[in-house]
Amino acid sequence: IYHVYFSHDNPLTFIRSWEKTYRPEWKDMDILDWAKSCNMDNNFMVKKLAGKVQRMKATRKDLRFAKETIRSRFIVGLMEEMEESIQRFNIVMGINNDETVRHETCMEQYFGNGSKKKNSNSHPKVEKGSPAWQLLAEKNSFDIQLYEYILELFEEQREIIDSYASSVVVTPA
């Protein structure tokens, strides 16, 4: 089982926050200019889950495949529901009740402490309905549909995880 995060109230945010492809020359670029001239990652997640390379076009069949892959193989988490998401992952991994120093240190190293969160980066918001939003939404319509599906799946998985948590007894190592 894998876990995946989709972030923020804006499903298009993840397009610009994929840190492996960070390019310093884009730092001060207007998002609309970037979307018109530089963004080649259209429907990135659907293509990735469907086994396609970036230059290939995503299809409705790819979207259906991506949804089924997420449903059958992932416990999903949401950035805006980070605490619940981590708790879900911990339940599935059998470490939900782990209060050891090692566990707490690991969580702090990954997520930071207080206002110094390590798993967050500041990015300007793309205003819904703006020209940039419309262009990105058009180029990433399958990824948006996948994101909306994941929001539904997050709710559906709540019951499954809760029932799993109540049936599993974790014994400290």
Side-chain angles (χ1 to χ4, degrees):
I1 293 180
Y2 301 96
H3 60 271
V4 65
Y5 285 104
F6 279 81
S7 67
H8 313 291
D9 55 354
N10 177 347
L12 297 175
T13 303
F14 76 90
I15 295 167
R16 293 184 305 136
S17 56
W18 198 262
E19 299 304 332
K20 287 182 181 179
T21 59
Y22 174 75
R23 306 259 306 263
E25 63 271 22
W26 293 350
K27 185 178 140 221
D28 297 318
M29 184 180 280
D30 176 76
I31 187 66
L32 182 57
D33 292 337
W34 177 83
K36 286 178 180 177
S37 62
C38 301
N39 177 33
M40 299 301 142
D41 289 341
N42 302 325
N43 293 308
F44 175 82
M45 291 303 298
V46 168
K47 288 180 192 176
K48 192 75 165 170
L49 289 164
K52 287 190 166 180
V53 294
Q54 228 18 69
R55 69 181 176 275
M56 298 172 84
K57 186 174 179 164
T59 65
R60 290 202 178 280
K61 183 179 177 183
D62 297 330
L63 175 61
R64 285 191 302 273
F65 184 82
K67 286 179 175 181
E68 181 53 36
T69 300
I70 294 286
R71 174 179 286 291
S72 64
R73 296 181 180 250
F74 289 79
I75 302 299
V76 297
L78 302 172
M79 294 295 288
E80 59 270 17
E81 298 288 346
M82 180 65 80
E83 189 172 329
E84 181 177 345
S85 297
I86 295 303
Q87 184 179 14
R88 289 178 182 201
F89 302 147
N90 288 348
I91 288 168
V92 171
M93 292 185 291
I95 60 172
N96 190 47
N97 297 323
D98 188 347
E99 294 180 9
T100 63
V101 172
R102 181 174 174 242
H103 174 79
E104 295 299 323
T105 301
C106 177
M107 294 296 283
E108 190 170 309
Q109 283 178 338
Y110 185 72
F111 293 110
N113 193 358
S115 63
K116 293 186 177 187
K117 300 291 185 193
K118 293 182 181 179
N119 193 33
S120 61
N121 295 292
S122 177
H123 298 286
K125 298 268 186 205
V126 179
E127 294 298 321
K128 193 169 188 173
S130 69
W133 171 274
Q134 291 173 346
L135 179 60
L136 288 168
E138 180 184 318
K139 288 183 170 190
N140 294 282
S141 62
F142 291 135
D143 272 1
I144 290 173
Q145 291 175 61
L146 182 63
Y147 171 79
E148 290 167 350
Y149 175 76
I150 287 169
L151 292 175
E152 294 172 19
L153 189 58
F154 185 80
E155 293 304 319
E156 289 176 25
Q157 287 182 348
R158 179 175 281 130
E159 289 180 36
I160 296 166
I161 299 295
D162 289 348
S163 68
Y164 184 77
S166 64
S167 68
V168 174
V169 176
V170 178
T171 54

